[in-house]
Amino acid sequence: MASTLVNNTVVKFSGHEHLRNRIVLSLLSGKPIRIDKIRSDDKDPGLRDYEVSLLRLLETICNGMVIEISYTGTSILIKPGIINGGQVTHECPASRSVGYFLEPVLMLAPFAKKPLNLTLTGVTTDDKDLSVDLLRTVTLPHLQLFGISEGVELKIKKRGAPPLGGGEVQFSCPIVRNLKIINFVETGKIKRIRGIASPGFALTLLSESTTSAIHCAEAVSQPGATPEDVALVAARSLLSEVRGGGCVDQKHQCLVMLMMVLGTEDVGRCRIGPLSERSIQFMRDIRDVFGTTFKVVPADPSDSASKELLISCYGIGYVNSNRSVA
């Protein structure tokens, strides 16, 4: 749950559901945040091992970041520091895949003091987070929309499946001074569908349109499932994403919205499908941290059956001050 307010410059949140996005907003805005009631009613209250591991990773990437965790682990206070970048190696717990850790890092890395070269070890594909294949083939191209392209790379050195892990990936990202604004409103026609099958019966599918709009879906084998079962689930999931429409699928709405807010001082627009619950909450958190709101209107008001939306916002003109210090 998310009850948010601002008190004495500390932005307060409640609950564990959107922890990663809120930490990202804190580090980019320079505003400290406090998150309370982290599974306070659970029989095993407080932070999980993967959440603590993420905090340690971000603490390594950032200089001067202060993290205070309560005795019970149900409350944390984060005072952001400088996003430093550099050479970093981190071992991820087997409870979550490396995608859980890469998603927030992708949002922060372009604004570091130095280019980031990150090596992560652990599970590379599971049924909870974005796989490394999806991050490489779909997420990284979304960064290119905002002018982050040359030097962005995700190398899959070894694959690792749960419960043992053992995989290894290397993520490299250059630094930028500011971001381009986008006007991505034409979905185009689908021209290509590709798939990547990985050991352990996992399948990643993606469709690409004539305007470079990408939709994606994944499926991971469950006990007793055949490869054909996995393919059927993935194919149906991709069709559902394509049916939703838009230039950006639900898995990447938050990334695109954040980059739109940080863009140059102009109006950015993007056509998307139905907003996910995560995206709706992220809009609220952006408002509380940056003071920026989105305008959301039907993309085609004349078509009552269409689920597509047109979102727009005025960029804050975010400048990577860490880079200018370097």
Side-chain angles (χ1 to χ4, degrees):
M1 300 299 292
S3 173
T4 61
L5 57 105
V6 178
N7 183 21
N8 295 331
T9 72
V10 176
V11 186
K12 295 186 177 182
F13 297 105
S14 176
H16 68 279
E17 291 92 345
H18 308 281
L19 182 134
R20 292 183 300 168
N21 283 344
R22 289 167 174 172
I23 295 173
V24 167
L25 292 175
S26 171
L27 290 170
L28 289 173
S29 67
K31 294 180 179 179
I33 63 169
R34 181 184 180 90
I35 306 176
D36 296 308
K37 297 181 181 178
I38 301 173
R39 301 185 184 88
S40 54
D41 296 327
D42 198 280
K43 64 179 181 180
D44 182 19
L47 294 166
R48 298 290 182 256
D49 62 337
Y50 54 86
E51 292 166 333
V52 174
S53 180
L54 173 64
L55 289 170
R56 297 303 173 222
L57 169 60
L58 296 177
E59 193 177 36
T60 304
I61 293 175
C62 301
N63 281 344
M65 180 180 178
V66 177
I67 303 169
E68 297 177 7
I69 304 175
S70 68
Y71 180 75
T72 58
T74 58
S75 177
I76 59 172
L77 174 66
I78 295 176
K79 300 175 183 176
I82 294 174
I83 306 169
N84 189 53
Q87 193 81 32
V88 178
T89 300
H90 184 75
E91 183 178 348
C92 306
S95 49
R96 295 298 282 261
S97 77
V98 297
Y100 174 85
F101 302 85
L102 270 174
E103 269 195 274
V105 170
L106 278 163
M107 296 177 170
L108 297 169
F111 310 103
K113 181 178 180 181
K114 297 178 290 188
L116 175 67
N117 292 291
L118 173 65
T119 300
L120 294 176
T121 58
V123 175
T124 53
T125 303
D126 66 8
D127 58 356
K128 303 184 190 77
D129 306 297
L130 301 186
S131 73
V132 290
D133 292 304
L134 194 150
L135 287 164
R136 180 175 60 86
T137 57
V138 183
T139 309
L140 295 191
H142 279 82
L143 293 178
Q144 296 177 12
L145 296 171
F146 300 90
I148 310 168
S149 54
E150 190 173 344
V152 180
E153 188 176 25
L154 180 61
K155 293 181 180 178
I156 305 171
K157 293 293 188 179
K158 290 187 293 184
R159 295 184 182 274
L164 299 178
E168 180 182 329
V169 299
Q170 293 179 348
F171 172 61
S172 303
C173 184
I175 54 176
V176 297
R177 181 165 176 79
N178 46 36
L179 299 177
K180 294 195 308 186
I181 205 73
I182 66 164
N183 187 32
F184 199 9
V185 296
E186 298 295 333
T187 55
K189 301 290 184 182
I190 293 176
K191 66 175 183 179
R192 183 185 299 125
I193 294 179
R194 293 183 291 160
I196 303 168
S198 63
F201 288 166
L203 180 64
T204 300
L205 294 178
L206 62 105
S207 67
E208 184 179 352
S209 80
T210 51
T211 58
S212 299
I214 303 175
H215 290 79
C216 63
E218 289 188 303
V220 179
S221 178
Q222 302 299 325
T226 65
E228 290 79 10
D229 294 333
V230 177
L232 187 61
V233 171
R236 285 175 172 168
S237 298
L238 180 63
L239 288 174
S240 178
E241 280 286 355
V242 172
R243 188 185 303 116
C247 301
V248 176
D249 66 9
Q250 286 196 335
K251 294 180 178 64
H252 295 88
Q253 287 175 353
C254 289
L255 173 65
V256 169
M257 287 192 297
L258 175 66
M259 297 300 172
M260 287 173 67
V261 169
L262 300 177
T264 53
E265 295 183 28
D266 200 353
V267 176
R269 300 192 305 157
C270 185
R271 190 183 187 115
I272 62 173
L275 284 165
S276 66
E277 288 186 18
R278 182 186 176 205
S279 300
I280 293 170
Q281 185 58 51
F282 194 48
M283 282 184 170
R284 294 171 179 153
D285 294 344
I286 286 173
R287 176 199 61 200
D288 293 332
V289 175
F290 282 107
T292 299
T293 57
F294 281 84
K295 181 180 180 182
V296 183
V297 297
D300 188 358
S302 61
D303 184 1
S304 59
S306 175
K307 298 179 181 179
E308 290 183 309
L309 301 170
L310 187 64
I311 63 171
S312 59
C313 75
Y314 194 79
I316 65 172
Y318 189 88
V319 175
N320 184 2
S321 57
N322 299 325
R323 177 178 180 267
S324 63
V325 172

